[in-house]
Structure formats: C-alpha cells, structure tokens
Amino acid sequence: MKSHYKIALVGNPNAGKSSLFNQLTGLSQKVGNFPGVTVDKKTGTCHLNDVHTAEIIDLPGTYSLFPKSPDEQVVTDILLNPKDEWYPDMIIVVADASNLKRNLLLFSEVKDLGIPVMLALNMMDVVKKSGFHIDLSSLQNSLGVAVITTNARSGEGIKELKQQIITTLSEKKLQLSSEIFVDTIHFPEGLTQNIRAKFALPNDYTAVQYAHQAQDARFLDDYSQQFLEEQRQRYGFQSRQWQTEETLARYAKIRRIVADAVHKPANSKQNPLTTQLDNILLHRVWGFVIFFAILFFIFQAIFAWAQYPMNFIDAGIAQFTGWLHSVLPQSMLTDLLTDGLIAGVGGVLIFIPQIAILFAFISILEETGYMARVVFITDRIMRTFGLNGKSVVPLISSVACAVPAIMATRNIDNWKERLITIMVTPLMSCSARIPIYTILVALVVPEQKVFGIFNLQGIILMALYLLGFVAALVSAWIMKFFLQRKDRSFLIMELPDYKTPRWGNVGLTILEKVKTFVFEAGKVIVAIAIVLWVLASYGPGNQMAEAEKVVRSQAKESTELEDRVAAARLEASYAGHFGKFIEPAIRPLGYDWKIGIALISSFAAREVFVGTLSTIYSVGSESEDMTTIQDRLRSEVNPQTNGPMYTPAVASSLLLFYAFAMMCMSTLATVYRETKGWKWPIIQLVYMTGIAYLSAFIVYTILK
C-alpha cells in the first residue's frame, strides 16, 4: 500500500462536494485551470492519518458521464483516460442524501468504470429533519460499495470517511473492477472487444463510453477518433438510443434500491420554511423587487465598506513609496522601483477590498440557497439576449468593478453564455468611471431641478449607467449570432433548501478569489504599469530636460512651478509624443494631443484620466479639488477656434467614449486569465473601442 493517492470527488451540482473538499483539505488548496479549458481545477492535500496522505481533486459538478458542457466534459475526460495526470486511484461520489434517486444515476455510471469507488451520503441532517430514514446496510449491500454518511457543513463523518478511504484502498489494492451495476445491459460484443483491445481498457462499459465520446473527448487524437468512428459505423452503434436505453435500465434498478433502503414517514412533506420563502422570493413581481433590493444593499455596502480599506491601502502604498524615496539614492532604479513596480503593485492591492466584499456576499447568497432562486427567476429574460440567469450576478457586480464581476462568471456552466457575459460585462459602468462622469457632466450640464424635484446632473449620470446596461444587452444579443456552438444550454437545476451560511466556506471562497486575482491577473497588471511608467518618464534625447529648463527659465518660483514642469516633461515624454502621434486619429472626436495623453495614461485605469488632466493643465497633480479642475477645463481655449476647448460637444463625446471604451488593463488581464489567451481580450478591446469611437464621433458631429 503506497502512502500517497489521488482521489477524485465527483457529484451532482449542489450535493455539497465543494464543502466536503474544504473539510478534507482545509487551507492546503491550489486553484488553477484544467489544461486547454477555462474550468477551475481545485486540488488539495488531505492527511488521512500519520502515514498516508491523498491529493484530492474537486471535479466540476455533473449529472452524468454524458457531458453537456465543457465543465462536465472535464470530468469525463479525466475518468476515461488512465494516462491523464489526474486519473484517480479512487473516486468518492458525493450524493445529496435528500435526493438519492437522482444522485445514484451518476454513482452507477462511475462505478461501472471499474475504478475503486465509495459513496459519501451528504446532507443527512436534511434527511433526518424531514423524518426520512435510510437503511445504510441495505444500501451498501445493494450498491456493493462502502457508504459513509457525512455532513460537510459541520464536518460530521469526516473522520469515518478518511478511515474508510484507507480501508477501501487497502482492500481493493487499486485493481480495476469489471463488475457492472446493471447486469441486464448487453454491450455490443464485437464493438467493445475491439475498443478494449485497442486502448487496453478494463471493462466493457469504459469501451462503450469511448464509443460515445469518439468526437468529443479531448484526450483522443485524430487517429483514435477515426478508429472509433469506424467501429461505430461497423456495428451500427447509435449513441443517443443506447444512452436512453441504458439510463432507463439504471433508473429501473435505482428505484428498487431506493424503495428498499429509504423509508418515508407517513406524513412526509416539503420543508415548510422553504415553501413559504419560495412563495415570496419566486413570485413574478415580489421576487424581482426583493432581488433588486438585495443588490442595492450589496453595492451600497461595497461602496461604503470598501472605501476605508482602499484608502488605507492607498495611503500605505504612498507612505511606503515616500519612505523608499527617502532612504534610497536618487536613481533610475529607485524611480522604477517606487513609481513603476510599487505603484503597479498598489494598483493590484487596492482592488482587494472590493473583490473580498463582493465575493463574501456572493458566497453567502450561494450558501443560503438564494442564488439558485435568482438564476431561476431571471433565466427567461436573459436567455433572449444569449445569456442565462447566472449572467445577472456578474452584470450587476460590474457596477462596482468589472474585475471581480468577470471572475464571478465562473458560476456559468455553458461556455458560450459565459464568454458572452465576459465580453459584455465591461460595458456596465464601473466605479472607476464615476470621477470622469462627475467632472464632465458638471462641466456641461447646468445644475438645475427637473419638475422641481430631480437634479438634472443626477438624471444624466443615471442615464449613462442605463446606457451601459442597454449596450451590454444589445451587444450580447448580437454576439449570440456570431458565437455558434453545437452545445445548447438548458437550465437544469435543483432549488436547494434554505440554509445558514457556513462561514468557514465563505472565508475560503474570499481567500481563493483574492489569491487568484493577485497572483494571476496581478502579474499582468504590474507588467503593464511598468511599461506605462517608462513611457511617461522618459522621452527621446534630451527633450524632457530641455522642456523643464525652458519652463524654469520662463516662470518665477511659485506653488504651480513644479506642476508646470511636470506638464512640460509629460509633453516631451514618449507618452506625450504618442499623444501627438494619435492626435490625427482623435481629432474627428474633438480631442487634442493633451486629451490624447489622458486617453493613453488612463488605459491603465480610467480614474487616471482626471489626474492626468490635472497634471497637463498644471492644476496640481495632487489636487482632488474637482471645482479647480473644472474651472481650468472651462477656461481652456481651443487654438483652432479661439473658443472653449471643452464644449458640450467635446464633453459629450468624451462621456460616450469612456462609457463604452475598454480603458482598464486590470479588466483585460482578468479576461486573459479567464479565457486562457489573448484572443478574446483583443477582440473585446477592438469592439469596445470601435463602439466608443463611433458613438463619440457621431455625438460630436451632431453637437459641434
């Protein structure tokens, strides 16, 4: 008996598999992607006893071994391929004991693969509360495997589960079994013999699965797929018909097993609390009212609660940077460290409070069972636009920040709908746009009341947010025609009973999401931040030094001198040259090279736009006085017209440009991480910039 094993957790969605994974592995978890797909791979080490450890892999939830989504295909690919890195020594099928009949279908298919398996009956507390009784001896005898009862939320049964893992692995000696759950199933003899011989498979059922998965399994090369297709045609194998007959036969036996093992009370009925809450939360009117009220509270909390830690991080980074400046000699390396690397790291860390708070709420909503209700009530509406009910959470979340919102799309099983959600989520106006909106709206929209009650500037601000939401839905509707995939989406889900959140799971979720952002998206953000620092800090030849010399020779000592010097150096930098280089392209939008620099610098983050304008117009790089900035912008003269530079046409053009443009490297880095490549971030950058440019051009042309 070896001392280290690979054990896979398999189960239906919402069976408590992830909670059991957390109980077995604790904090020793790793999160990554399965090769070739953007599906989360969660692994962790479990100490079975003082001698033996096991590597636990939490496979995506699935209802059967006939996959309907990329996530479910991952499960099949691993369990059918003995050469896979994560092919398990043993499988634990986690089943919701309160819905045993449906969960045993997957168990029966997994058992027939021949890999040593045991059954973890989870949620036994729900079974007991409902008055049901499960005869474990009867169930074990019928299934032919060890059955352990657990409560993954409280940790009950975990010790017994670990002991049974050791016992099962020792007894089975890791030999694959040829026993078949349903002995009435007759496999196509010649087909299974040929496939077993070709791939050295342990039993007929695995061979039939190869025939089923001939065109979809990722581990099969072209030659293997061709061989399997030839065998299918030779023996007239009809995959869909065979699957239907097999499933009916399995359910026939499962019904008999459940009838013998599960004893119902005479007056059994659904959880009355769940029924009463569902009457309100799933109501066609009140369900939406309550949902939007909860969202309103969440985003109020994100804005209010995240502000303090964000300010603390921002101040801490600033103090640390100042301290480094004071102790390190003035040099290029010091500037790179403080203004490039440390500033880039600060740009990553400052998002952590928003990410942590948002995912804390999402985790609580999932733990309580409410998130399943949200998906259910919104699915029909969102499906019209190529999305599904699970897209609602990321779209609304992006009002705070697109970065955690895109990470939240992992709850969407269907890859096409998840991709469309990722692609349109940044069109929702995030909090980083607020400084731009407020300063430009205040610049051109008079502060007056409408109907004596509503503030006109506030109405325009709300219209910009609604514009982003409408643009996201329309873009999604168009994309669904371009992203043609053969897999169709069906909302198949079970509404779980309402439960009290398990706070340990909430904490682990927050930790996992923050780690993923910091170590995956963060390294890309830091790299781009350093590049932008170099472009803004250096210029060709001595142009920056000459520009500074000219400003200092012409101006007297004043509090604004250093700001004017900074503006002159910025103009002479590579970023300044690039601003002038792109001026012909942005001139049709009403912009000059100064706005061009702000556009370039705000690629790092939209909120940089206001700070860059402050520096360019020598308002004061540290100024946060919006009134001063607005006054300076209002007095800026257009050298070509000798009129105001920031006319309503230019301000409106800028508002629409920033409403639609992808001006956030953090978001691009996150999309890169979630889609595992640069293809979709580039497409997203191009199409959003195209919409931004076209809309800005149209509004400027009409209003100028």
Side-chain angles (χ1 to χ4, degrees):
M1 185 176 177
K2 63 181 183 180
S3 59
H4 193 78
Y5 306 94
K6 291 178 182 174
I7 298 177
L9 297 184
V10 178
N12 290 180
N14 299 319
K17 185 168 54 60
S18 295
S19 296
L20 186 62
F21 174 78
N22 291 336
Q23 288 285 354
L24 290 172
T25 61
L27 294 175
S28 60
Q29 301 180 7
K30 297 178 182 177
V31 180
N33 276 4
F34 289 102
V37 291
T38 54
V39 178
D40 272 353
K41 179 181 70 177
K42 293 176 65 176
T43 62
T45 301
C46 173
H47 297 279
L48 299 173
N49 57 23
D50 294 338
V51 179
H52 303 101
T53 60
E55 194 73 11
I56 309 291
I57 180 168
D58 184 13
L59 292 177
T62 182
Y63 291 100
S64 77
L65 292 182
F66 297 93
K68 296 182 177 62
S69 70
D71 297 52
E72 295 181 354
Q73 185 68 52
V74 166
V75 180
T76 306
D77 284 349
I78 290 179
L79 300 186
L80 292 182
N81 181 18
K83 297 179 181 177
D84 189 280
E85 175 189 3
W86 287 100
Y87 185 77
D89 298 311
M90 177 185 174
I91 299 172
I92 299 175
V93 176
V94 184
D96 176 0
S98 63
N99 199 338
L100 195 55
K101 185 163 63 177
R102 191 203 63 206
N103 282 251
L104 285 182
L105 175 66
L106 175 63
F107 166 82
S108 70
E109 294 172 347
V110 170
K111 184 176 184 294
D112 283 352
L113 295 178
I115 305 171
V117 63
M118 60 182 293
L119 181 65
L121 274 187
N122 197 31
M123 301 185 185
M124 285 299 291
D125 54 327
V126 178
V127 175
K128 292 177 181 176
K129 283 182 181 178
S130 61
F132 281 69
H133 171 71
I134 297 179
D135 186 339
L136 295 181
S137 297
S138 171
L139 196 59
Q140 286 190 145
N141 292 333
S142 301
L143 300 179
V145 301
V147 179
I148 300 295
T149 60
T150 61
N151 183 344
R153 295 165 58 80
S154 66
E156 186 179 341
I158 299 301
K159 182 179 178 182
E160 292 78 4
L161 181 67
K162 289 181 178 179
Q163 183 56 49
Q164 187 57 52
I165 291 172
I166 297 173
T167 303
T168 301
L169 290 171
S170 176
E171 290 176 350
K172 296 291 182 182
K173 298 179 181 177
L174 306 185
Q175 291 180 354
L176 299 182
S177 170
S178 59
E179 296 178 3
I180 298 299
F181 181 78
V182 183
D183 52 13
T184 58
I185 298 177
H186 300 290
F187 299 101
E189 187 172 342
L191 177 77
T192 55
Q193 287 179 344
N194 292 343
I195 295 177
R196 287 185 64 175
K198 171 69 177 178
F199 297 99
L201 299 178
N203 55 38
D204 288 346
Y205 184 68
T206 306
V208 171
Q209 276 291 340
Y210 269 57
H212 277 298
Q213 312 294 334
Q215 301 301 320
D216 298 322
R218 297 187 185 92
F219 62 87
L220 294 173
D221 57 26
D222 293 342
Y223 176 75
S224 298
Q225 289 181 340
Q226 183 180 355
F227 170 80
L228 290 169
E229 191 58 38
E230 290 173 355
Q231 295 299 312
R232 285 161 56 108
Q233 293 181 8
R234 179 180 176 182
Y235 293 97
F237 182 77
Q238 299 296 324
S239 180
R240 182 66 60 86
Q241 179 182 349
W242 211 92
Q243 178 189 348
T244 302
E245 294 174 356
E246 176 198 330
T247 302
L248 290 174
R250 290 183 185 280
Y251 267 126
K253 182 172 182 179
I254 289 170
R255 276 194 292 271
R256 293 195 297 271
I257 293 174
V258 171
D260 292 338
V262 180
H263 305 290
K264 303 178 182 179
N267 57 346
S268 64
K269 59 182 181 180
Q270 192 179 1
N271 186 334
L273 177 61
T274 294
T275 303
Q276 291 170 7
L277 287 175
D278 277 347
N279 288 337
I280 301 172
L281 299 178
L282 297 182
H283 191 273
R284 61 180 59 186
V285 176
W286 294 115
F288 285 98
V289 172
I290 293 172
F291 170 53
F292 285 111
I294 291 174
L295 286 179
F296 181 78
F297 171 77
I298 290 175
F299 293 114
Q300 287 294 312
I302 289 175
F303 277 112
W305 300 352
Q307 194 60 45
Y308 298 104
M310 290 176 77
N311 290 340
F312 178 77
I313 293 172
D314 196 28
I317 293 293
Q319 287 187 358
F320 184 58
T321 302
W323 177 76
L324 287 176
H325 271 299
S326 66
V327 298
L328 295 176
Q330 187 172 1
S331 66
M332 181 184 69
L333 288 177
T334 300
D335 291 342
L336 174 62
L337 176 65
T338 55
D339 301 332
L341 182 60
I342 301 298
V345 171
V348 175
L349 298 181
I350 202 166
F351 282 107
I352 288 178
Q354 284 189 336
I355 291 174
I357 293 173
L358 178 62
F359 278 102
F361 278 114
I362 290 177
S363 179
I364 291 172
L365 294 180
E366 289 177 340
E367 286 270 326
T368 56
Y370 178 69
M371 191 64 81
R373 273 74 181 177
V374 173
V375 172
F376 177 77
I377 63 175
T378 58
D379 182 71
R380 177 175 294 182
I381 299 173
M382 302 306 290
R383 202 167 288 283
T384 306
F385 299 97
L387 307 169
N388 75 24
K390 295 181 180 179
S391 304
V392 170
V393 176
L395 286 177
I396 302 300
S397 302
S398 63
V399 174
C401 179
V403 172
I406 289 173
M407 293 166 66
T409 61
R410 295 176 184 183
N411 292 327
I412 302 173
D413 300 324
N414 182 279
W415 171 239
K416 175 182 174 181
E417 292 166 350
R418 182 184 173 197
L419 180 60
I420 292 177
T421 307
I422 290 174
M423 296 296 283
V424 304
T425 288
L427 286 169
M428 301 288 289
S429 288
C430 66
S431 58
R433 290 177 168 107
I434 291 178
I436 304 171
Y437 286 170
T438 51
I439 195 170
L440 292 175
V441 168
L443 195 64
V444 296
V445 178
E447 187 174 0
Q448 63 183 51
K449 298 291 184 182
V450 177
F451 303 120
I453 303 174
F454 303 106
N455 184 288
L456 180 59
Q457 293 178 343
I459 292 175
I460 298 299
L461 187 64
M462 185 180 70
L464 287 167
Y465 274 79
L466 290 176
L467 183 65
F469 181 65
V470 172
L473 292 182
V474 173
S475 299
W477 182 77
I478 294 173
M479 285 182 189
K480 78 174 183 179
F481 296 106
F482 288 96
L483 294 175
Q484 297 294 336
R485 287 176 65 94
K486 61 182 180 181
D487 55 317
R488 296 184 60 190
S489 169
F490 301 96
L491 183 64
I492 302 174
M493 63 182 300
E494 180 185 0
L495 297 180
D497 288 341
Y498 294 100
K499 305 180 184 73
T500 303
R502 179 168 169 75
W503 300 110
N505 285 347
V506 174
L508 285 172
T509 300
I510 296 171
L511 183 64
E512 173 200 326
K513 300 300 182 186
V514 170
K515 282 172 60 179
T516 301
F517 171 71
V518 171
F519 293 107
E520 296 295 331
K523 57 189 177 186
V524 181
I525 295 172
V526 170
I528 298 177
I530 292 174
V531 171
L532 287 174
W533 170 82
V534 171
L535 292 175
S537 301
Y538 295 92
N542 295 324
Q543 292 185 21
M544 293 183 71
E546 292 295 330
E548 179 178 351
K549 184 178 179 181
V550 170
V551 172
R552 291 190 183 279
S553 64
Q554 294 177 348
K556 297 179 179 178
E557 283 294 334
S558 70
T559 55
E560 297 180 352
L561 176 59
E562 293 305 318
D563 293 323
R564 295 182 60 183
V565 169
R569 289 180 60 85
L570 182 63
E571 180 181 353
S573 69
Y574 288 113
H577 280 274
F578 198 68
K580 292 184 177 179
F581 174 74
I582 67 171
E583 188 174 22
I586 59 177
R587 177 60 67 185
L589 310 183
Y591 310 156
D592 62 2
W593 69 269
K594 295 178 181 178
I595 298 178
I597 294 178
L599 292 178
I600 295 171
S601 62
S602 59
F603 175 76
R606 296 180 180 90
E607 55 267 40
V608 177
F609 176 81
V610 175
T612 305
L613 288 180
S614 300
T615 301
I616 294 173
Y617 293 117
S618 304
V619 172
S621 56
E622 303 300 327
S623 174
E624 294 181 356
D625 187 344
M626 289 292 181
T627 304
T628 305
I629 298 172
Q630 289 165 11
D631 289 342
R632 184 64 186 87
L633 295 181
R634 195 171 284 118
S635 63
E636 177 70 5
V637 176
N638 187 330
Q640 295 184 349
T641 64
N642 288 324
M645 179 66 204
Y646 288 89
T647 61
V650 171
S652 300
S653 173
L654 273 171
L655 281 171
L656 286 184
F657 189 88
Y658 273 98
F660 297 135
M662 169 56 84
M663 303 291 287
C664 180
M665 66 177 185
S666 307
T667 302
L668 282 175
T670 306
V671 174
Y672 162 77
R673 196 274 176 190
E674 296 299 312
T675 60
K676 284 191 68 66
W678 283 110
K679 174 185 174 182
W680 295 110
I682 291 174
I683 292 175
Q684 191 176 45
L685 176 64
V686 171
Y687 102 81
M688 288 184 64
T689 304
I691 294 176
Y693 190 94
L694 185 61
S695 57
F697 172 73
I698 291 174
V699 75
Y700 177 72
T701 304
I702 294 173
L703 296 179
K704 72 177 179 179

